[in-house]
Amino acid sequence: MIEKEKLENLFAEIRESLDYHEPDSGHKERFFEKLNAKNTSISDVRGRRIRWIKSLSIAASLALIIALGAYIGNAEPTMEEQVARISPEASNTQFYFANLIEEQVKKLKEEVSPETLKIIDDTLLQLKNLEKDYKELERNLIQGGNSKLILSAMITNFQTRINLLNAVLNQIETIKILKNNSNENTI
Amino acid sequence: MSLKNENTDALLELCLKNDQCAQMEIYNRYFKAMYNTAFRILKKNDEAEDVMQESFLSAFTKLHTFKGEVAFGAWLKRIVINNSIKSYRAQQKKNEVALESIIHKVKDYDEVTSDHAFSELKAQKVMETMEQLRDNYRISLTLHLIEGFDYEEISSIMNISYANCRTTISRAKESLRRKLQISQ
């Protein structure tokens, strides 16, 4: 019995000194890599799941496609996150352009009239196609394509959309002036 | 002490949001204790490191289930112990014979005989003696005398009956006592 107590006492005495082993050097780096891999794969899985649901709902509703086409700022947030990881600059640029385009599209929609309906519809369709291209580029970027080329193509895509919107808005201005003028002429 | 607790709590909050810096800081604070816990069960550097790191990862994944009834360190340690036991069983299945168990370790203690290192030296001696015990003696004694679990907890961790657990530990103590006397 006395012996038994001794053993407990012995361990109480040495408890503080028991952790004398050290992991092999470089263990922090190895852990950091594992941690990184884990955190990345979590957001990947989440992203894939959301994209899948998204694509299903897009297929379900054509109206939603048009809404999404007009509303690129809102589309695919997880894709944006992934792009942001590859190139933060690109995602900042995207944010800036998306806002700009959204504003222009709003302006465009305010101009709807019997005379401009056709050109506006056509513009929205073209924007949608451009956006489809853009999504394709984003996908390529995430899958690890030549990022320099893809990023420059993404910027060109945005610029094309802005140019298109500006051109159409100018044309609408011209149509309005023409209409007013011809109205004046007929009076 | 309370400040240190607060800091850890704040860090855990950040860890819940997958903040990598906070996760690394938690790792830095606990890795040594957790590594040693795993090492005492597994006796192998690489496996102990692996189990320890995987335990941190799974702790971060299920951190939302940590309600703070016990200290975070104790909660984490339980994960490390469970994973170590799991890994130990897998190791047994593969029937690997550790190099360390064949080649007798020769350590030179001459450099650490200063007074303040005495309890450390003693600890090392006791641990080396522990390592000579049969695996189930070593593991049950480690859980009982070092990690401070009671019989019930140990029988659930090691998946053995309560009675079996009691006998094993009492025999393990007997065996350790004998070996310590011889080595002294």
Side-chain angles (χ1 to χ4, degrees), chain A residues 3-5 7-8 10-15 17-32 34-36 38-39 42 46, chain B residues 18 20 23-24 27-28 31-33 35-36 39-40 45 49-50 53 56-57 60-61 119 122-124 126-127 145-146 173 176-177 180-181:
Chain A
E3 288 268 84
K4 200 172 201 167
E5 247 172 59
L7 205 55
E8 315 273 336
L10 174 66
F11 273 89
E13 190 187 327
I14 62 174
R15 174 152 292 145
S17 318
L18 281 174
D19 292 344
Y20 58 86
H21 288 289
E22 283 281 352
D24 295 339
S25 64
H27 70 98
K28 285 186 191 178
E29 289 76 11
R30 287 191 289 280
F31 180 69
F32 185 72
K34 285 184 192 176
L35 188 63
N36 229 333
K38 192 198 104 193
N39 284 344
I42 284 175
R46 211 180 287 153
Chain B
N18 259 345
Q20 216 148 293
Q23 292 173 332
M24 277 313 286
Y27 178 81
N28 285 338
F31 80 84
K32 195 163 182 196
Y35 175 77
N36 277 279
F39 187 88
R40 283 191 286 265
N45 307 10
E49 179 182 321
D50 231 41
Q53 295 189 341
F56 270 99
L57 293 181
F60 290 147
T61 307
S119 75
K122 201 166 179 183
Q124 288 193 17
V126 174
M127 290 315 292
L145 289 172
I146 300 173
K173 279 182 177 169
L176 178 65
R177 232 175 272 135
L180 281 173
Q181 273 167 354

Side-chain angles (χ1 to χ4, degrees), chain A residues 10-93:
Chain A
L10 174 66
F11 273 89
E13 190 187 327
I14 62 174
R15 174 152 292 145
E16 300 295 311
S17 318
L18 281 174
D19 292 344
Y20 58 86
H21 288 289
E22 283 281 352
D24 295 339
S25 64
H27 70 98
K28 285 186 191 178
E29 289 76 11
R30 287 191 289 280
F31 180 69
F32 185 72
E33 271 170 34
K34 285 184 192 176
L35 188 63
N36 229 333
K38 192 198 104 193
N39 284 344
T40 317
S41 73
I42 284 175
S43 62
D44 266 358
V45 167
R46 211 180 287 153
R48 226 174 284 142
R49 196 181 306 145
I50 289 172
R51 242 180 296 147
W52 181 77
I53 295 168
K54 272 243 158 93
S55 62
L56 192 76
S57 64
I58 285 170
S61 138
L62 201 97
L64 191 63
I65 293 183
I66 294 164
L68 275 178
Y71 236 84
I72 37 161
N74 252 3
E76 307 276 42
T78 53
M79 190 99 101
E80 277 166 25
E81 272 167 34
Q82 292 182 40
V83 172
R85 218 173 32 238
I86 296 165
S87 164
E89 295 91 333
S91 93
N92 282 340
T93 318

